[in-house]
Amino acid sequence: MNGQTTMGLAAAVRPCRQRLLTSASAAAAKASVIRLFPRCSHPPHHHHGRRFPFLVSAASHTSQSDPSTTPTPTPVASDPHSAVAGNLPFFDRVLFPASFPLETPPVEEPAPPADEGQASTSPVREETETETEAWRLLRRAVVSYCGEPVGTVAAEDPECTEMLNYDQVFIRDFVPSALAFLMRGETEIVRNFLLHTLQLQSWEKTVDCYSPGQGLMPASFKIRTVPLDENNEAFEEILDPDFGESAIGRVAPVDSGLWWIILLRAYCKITGDYSLQERVDVQTGIKLILSLCLSDGFDMFPTLLVTDGSCMIDRRMGIHGHPLEIQALFYSALRCSREMIVMNDGSKHLLRAINNRLSALSFHIREYYWVDMNKINEIYRYKTEEYSHDATNKFNIYPEQIPSWLVDWIPEKGGYLIGNLQPAHMDFRFFSLGNLWAISSSLTTPTQAEGILSLIEEKWDDLIAYMPLKICYPAMEYDEWRIITGSDPKNTPWSYHNGGSWPTLLWQFTLACIKMGRPELARRAIAVAEEKLSADKWPEYYDTRSGRFIGKQSRSYQTWTIAGFLTSKMLLENPELASILTCDEDLELLEGCACCLSKRTRCSRRAAKSDIIGFTLDIHPFIHFLNVRSFFFAEPPLMGTALGDTGGQEEHYHFMLELSCTHKRVIYSCIGHE
């Protein structure tokens, strides 16, 4: 149960407690106290976590405080389920099959070298001075609970006396730190973080409108040391979560649970420790988050309805409704959950709901959020006040909403996903996080993903300039800024969330570039950032249109700035890890809402599976190959009839192919005729 005081200290849900005794009398008091909460068992771990063979190249040197030896080889497991808890050679073979022999010889104890100086070592890249400083600062930001590392604080600025909430561990902020530690082979802190934040999740339904809903993950938590039972000589550590009741604007975080699921999947894939995601408490946590996000409401759209300030942009910026950032994270979390949920009778309905939502959400975003030159021309000629199922302007968008800056800014080639879509309103601003994560999660089509990167390259001076990466473009100014932000002094034009430049977005930009085979763009952006970050003391964000000035209220030594830089460098050094952190296109997801692309007047979710993206088994494979391989990436217009031999029978099948102009998705309707 989540006991909370009025706008103050909140007790942790199922906390792990450690008592700090300062005298012998306190030790006697300890024996007489009734333990209300069990201690968390902490098995012995290496202080810096495990180092896996396939990640050795990511670490240029070991920690000076605890130099580790070269890991001893372990036998290769033949069963994937046995590749857990550090037994990673099997996982190594999956990643790099060409580097392993077909038959692994038995492992023998290596003879000690005659001279340690002659022992062979794997060549590793030397860290730059900037990387060395970044690792030192990242380790300095690590916080411990019950003697174990559990996360990193938002900022560790020794020159700042007013900490506000920057001394807390934020779920969204810790993600790049977690990835940096994982790719370095230090997994203990990530596992502890996942389990301890799971303890803080709200599991109880409440009727108090000031308490978090069931399944909600906190935005952040802080480790506090408080007296035990009014005894000033005995203390205990507690995790104090913030579900938004202490945040600016008192807005609950929608993205925390989504980031937690994404990080859980990344941890399991990188380490091979799939036993963690199969734990009962972890499965319950995933299902509670999904139940909260998939619950029915008054909304008619498959997108997730949220309020302003519920994500990375945590202040009023006019993103309430269906902001792109939340939809991209929501889609990614659904994809990750579908992989991790254990299949049983109790989870069948949830998996069915996930698949249905994924299909509808992917169609909705690809079709209605995508804009390029052709789409802008289409909107420019929209008719309004259309009432029917066949309406072209389904959201009653008025052409006058097209802003003047967009007419001159949109390039001839490339496009992007708009920031928001609501009835009679389109937010045409470019939001970096939503677009980049849509690429990584395959929420966009491959063509759209290439278009987004092409737009960033074309508009490099606007989105990258002196410091990557603009959180949104363009900034709101004048009366628009005063009305929408409430004259927010921190979100002045080209500052903070209103067009500021955030270096932490580098790692997501790098991930998207690697996935689309454009690593040169990421290298170019990282080189720009590396010139200034260390000299500028790793600030939180940069101001001005070109990002030349350090943010006027920016914190120095911002942890996710440091971690984002390190993660970007390590991803470029180990690009094979990018595939583990991303999701590939799933053609089966196109089945759920295939009717949305057809000319049917009503949505029918009972369409036969053989009628959508595929063919019945009695059709000759040649027809399947001809249509799928030849037509799937064809350019519009694409309307035709294919006749094929069906094994000597006198039947012909006419295939009607409808191609969406925005995302080139083909819908096959198979109708048999004698």
Side-chain angles (χ1 to χ4, degrees):
M1 177 175 279
N2 235 1
Q4 298 180 10
T5 58
T6 305
M7 308 305 292
L9 183 66
V13 180
R14 299 178 304 285
C16 170
R17 306 193 170 212
Q18 179 185 30
R19 298 171 183 178
L20 308 178
L21 304 178
T22 58
S23 68
S25 60
K30 172 185 174 182
S32 62
V33 174
I34 300 176
R35 189 180 302 278
L36 298 179
F37 297 93
R39 290 173 181 252
C40 282
S41 58
H42 295 293
H45 293 289
H46 192 281
H47 180 67
H48 294 292
R50 300 187 298 270
R51 288 187 182 273
F52 303 141
F54 81 104
L55 293 175
V56 168
S57 60
S60 61
H61 73 283
T62 57
S63 176
Q64 296 178 359
S65 60
D66 186 13
S68 59
T69 58
T70 305
T72 57
T74 52
V76 175
S78 59
D79 182 10
H81 295 286
S82 64
V84 297
N87 187 14
L88 262 291
F90 172 82
F91 191 68
D92 201 5
R93 291 186 65 182
V94 175
L95 283 177
F96 313 106
S99 62
F100 284 83
L102 295 178
E103 296 183 1
T104 306
V107 178
E108 298 180 357
E109 291 294 334
D115 185 1
E116 293 183 359
Q118 298 177 356
S120 60
T121 58
S122 300
V124 294
R125 181 184 64 85
E126 292 186 3
E127 286 183 349
T128 63
E129 293 183 2
T130 304
E131 291 176 83
T132 302
E133 179 191 9
W135 274 112
R136 178 179 59 82
L137 295 173
L138 182 59
R139 297 188 189 283
R140 189 179 72 178
V142 172
V143 295
S144 297
Y145 173 61
C146 293
E148 300 288 338
V150 294
T152 53
V153 294
E156 184 68 21
D157 186 0
E159 301 176 359
C160 183
T161 57
E162 188 181 9
M163 291 303 300
L164 295 178
N165 59 351
Y166 284 86
D167 61 344
Q168 299 186 25
V169 180
F170 283 81
I171 289 183
R172 77 170 71 94
D173 291 36
F174 180 69
V175 172
S177 300
L179 294 177
F181 284 123
L182 286 174
M183 287 188 286
R184 199 175 178 89
E186 303 175 19
T187 65
E188 179 187 17
I189 185 174
V190 183
R191 182 184 178 91
N192 292 339
F193 173 84
L194 290 168
L195 293 178
H196 282 301
T197 49
L198 181 63
Q199 293 179 351
L200 301 177
Q201 185 184 32
S202 177
W203 280 22
E204 300 291 338
K205 278 189 176 181
T206 62
V207 294
D208 181 4
C209 61
Y210 294 103
S211 296
Q214 187 181 26
L216 184 67
M217 280 286 191
S220 62
F221 65 86
K222 184 176 182 178
I223 300 171
R224 298 185 186 274
T225 303
V226 298
L228 178 62
D229 299 332
E230 300 181 356
N231 187 342
N232 293 330
E233 296 182 346
F235 298 85
E236 63 180 347
E237 288 181 340
I238 65 170
L239 295 179
D240 178 16
D242 178 15
F243 290 91
E245 70 271 17
S246 300
I248 296 175
R250 304 301 188 263
V251 179
V254 176
D255 61 341
S256 293
L258 307 178
W259 276 123
W260 185 87
I261 291 176
I262 294 170
L263 180 58
L264 173 64
R265 180 215 185 215
Y267 169 85
C268 294
K269 278 188 167 291
I270 291 179
T271 65
D273 185 7
Y274 292 101
S275 61
L276 179 65
Q277 70 185 35
E278 297 172 357
R279 287 175 44 151
V280 175
D281 55 344
V282 174
Q283 288 287 309
T284 303
I286 297 174
K287 293 176 182 178
L288 285 175
I289 296 173
L290 296 180
S291 298
L292 185 65
C293 296
L294 295 173
S295 59
D296 295 330
F298 293 99
D299 195 19
M300 293 288 291
F301 309 134
T303 43
L304 194 58
L305 179 64
V306 298
T307 187
D308 215 345
S310 61
C311 52
M312 178 182 175
I313 299 178
D314 56 7
R315 298 167 77 99
R316 184 176 174 185
M317 274 287 291
I319 61 171
H320 57 276
H322 308 90
L324 175 64
E325 175 181 331
I326 290 295
Q327 314 315 319
L329 293 175
F330 181 38
Y331 181 86
S332 180
L334 291 176
R335 290 287 304 270
C336 296
S337 300
R338 191 176 63 165
E339 294 181 18
M340 296 186 295
I341 291 179
V342 177
M343 173 66 76
N344 52 44
D345 294 337
S347 62
K348 289 182 179 179
H349 295 291
L350 179 59
L351 290 172
R352 187 179 300 113
I354 291 175
N355 285 326
N356 291 338
R357 192 62 168 265
L358 282 171
S359 298
L361 181 61
S362 62
F363 168 79
H364 187 88
I365 297 296
R366 293 176 175 188
E367 182 73 12
Y368 301 121
Y369 276 62
W370 177 255
V371 293
D372 54 12
M373 180 60 75
N374 293 332
K375 187 66 175 181
I376 296 299
N377 269 300
E378 180 184 336
I379 297 174
Y380 183 75
R381 296 172 56 83
Y382 265 170
K383 296 180 180 179
T384 58
E385 312 302 331
E386 293 183 314
Y387 177 82
S388 71
H389 294 285
D390 297 328
T392 301
N393 188 1
K394 293 180 172 60
F395 295 91
N396 200 36
I397 303 300
Y398 298 98
E400 290 76 13
Q401 290 185 7
I402 301 177
S404 57
W405 65 265
L406 180 62
V407 176
D408 300 324
W409 191 74
I410 191 75
E412 290 293 334
K413 295 183 179 180
Y416 65 100
L417 298 173
I418 62 173
N420 209 335
L421 174 65
Q422 300 181 68
H425 174 71
M426 294 184 77
D427 186 349
F428 287 98
R429 287 176 292 176
F430 175 89
F431 287 87
S432 296
L433 177 56
N435 276 276
L436 294 177
W437 204 253
I439 295 175
S440 300
S441 62
S442 290
L443 178 56
T444 59
T445 64
T447 303
Q448 290 174 345
E450 292 173 0
I452 294 172
L453 294 183
S454 297
L455 179 136
I456 293 176
E457 184 179 23
E458 179 74 19
K459 299 300 178 181
W460 190 269
D461 292 337
D462 293 329
L463 302 177
I464 306 295
Y466 286 89
M467 179 55 62
L469 189 65
K470 276 277 180 281
I471 193 171
C472 70
Y473 184 90
M476 294 185 294
E477 300 178 293
Y478 310 115
D479 289 341
E480 185 183 24
W481 164 75
R482 282 188 286 269
I483 294 172
I484 293 181
T485 72
S487 299
D488 187 351
K490 197 169 185 177
N491 270 333
T492 53
W494 306 107
S495 178
Y496 201 48
H497 295 314
N498 190 13
S501 299
W502 292 70
T504 185
L505 295 172
L506 265 176
W507 75 270
Q508 297 173 76
F509 180 58
T510 303
L511 193 64
C513 290
I514 293 176
K515 181 184 178 183
M516 298 308 300
R518 301 287 302 276
E520 71 281 355
L521 286 180
R523 291 191 183 94
R524 183 181 170 191
I526 293 173
V528 171
E530 194 167 6
E531 292 182 359
K532 299 180 62 178
L533 285 178
S534 179
D536 294 342
K537 299 180 180 180
W538 306 92
E540 181 182 12
Y541 63 94
Y542 285 77
D543 283 353
T544 72
R545 182 187 291 267
S546 58
R548 296 188 65 183
F549 290 84
I550 300 174
K552 57 186 176 183
Q553 297 188 41
S554 175
R555 292 295 173 114
S556 298
Y557 303 105
Q558 186 79 13
T559 303
W560 68 350
T561 297
I562 299 167
F565 168 76
L566 289 174
T567 301
S568 300
K569 297 281 285 189
M570 298 173 76
L571 282 172
L572 283 179
E573 187 177 349
N574 300 274
E576 65 278 355
L577 293 179
S579 62
I580 301 176
L581 301 173
T582 59
C583 296
D584 295 327
E585 176 79 335
D586 188 350
L587 297 180
E588 293 182 1
L589 293 179
L590 306 182
E591 297 182 5
C593 271
C595 51
C596 296
L597 288 175
S598 68
K599 301 300 181 182
R600 301 172 186 172
T601 58
R602 290 185 179 274
C603 179
S604 173
R605 297 188 180 275
R606 297 181 179 179
K609 185 175 182 180
S610 60
D611 294 349
I612 306 167
I613 308 298
F615 306 89
T616 52
L617 296 178
D618 58 342
I619 300 177
H620 196 277
F622 173 76
I623 303 178
H624 177 84
F625 176 83
L626 173 66
N627 287 278
V628 175
R629 297 301 177 91
S630 301
F631 293 155
F632 190 80
F633 295 106
E635 293 289 335
L638 181 57
M639 290 290 294
T641 302
L643 301 179
D645 181 11
T646 57
Q649 300 179 6
E650 296 297 327
E651 295 182 359
H652 292 88
Y653 287 80
H654 296 267
F655 300 96
M656 180 179 66
L657 293 81
E658 298 177 357
L659 182 63
S660 170
C661 296
T662 56
H663 53 64
K664 300 183 180 179
R665 185 165 62 196
V666 184
I667 299 301
Y668 299 85
S669 297
C670 177
I671 306 174
H673 296 277
E674 294 184 359

